[in-house]
Every structure is written in C-alpha cells, then in structure tokens.
Amino acid sequence: MQMLITFMAVVAGLIFSVAVALLAEELIFGQVFRLFFSRQPVRMNVRQTAPLKTGQKN
C-alpha cells in the first residue's frame, strides 16, 4: 500500500512540475497555447471536370 501511495505522489509531482513549467513558459513567452489552440486553415480540393466557357459560373 505504501508503494502505491509513493508512486501516486511521484506521478502527481511530475504532473504538477510540468504544469508549473508550462505556466511559466506561457507567462514568459506567450506562444504555447496559441500554438495548440489556433485554427488551422482548411484546404478544399476542387476538381474541375470540364473547362468553363466564357460567362459560365462554377
């Protein structure tokens, strides 16, 4: 039982350490969350089967 509690404490300490480091980096540089949560442009593939005639719409 003591091994389990020790393991949980070590894992919790590692997670807390990463969270504090990420927060400090965000406060100093301000780029991490923008990298993760920015919207990516959507590419659309448009196939044109026949050439358009003058005045014709897609």
Side-chain angles (χ1 to χ4, degrees), residues 5 21 26 35 38-39 54 58:
I5 293 172
E26 179 63 30
L35 179 73
S38 66
R39 292 184 179 221
T54 306
N58 287 357

Side-chain angles (χ1 to χ4, degrees), residues 42-48:
V42 177
R43 293 183 182 177
M44 295 186 69
N45 294 331
V46 178
R47 283 187 161 173
Q48 188 175 354

Side-chain angles (χ1 to χ4, degrees), residues 20-50:
V20 169
L22 184 62
L23 178 65
E25 198 279 336
E26 179 63 30
L27 291 175
I28 293 170
F29 297 108
Q31 298 292 320
V32 174
F33 293 122
R34 191 177 311 157
L35 179 73
F36 286 129
F37 298 113
S38 66
R39 292 184 179 221
Q40 300 294 325
V42 177
R43 293 183 182 177
M44 295 186 69
N45 294 331
V46 178
R47 283 187 161 173
Q48 188 175 354
T49 56

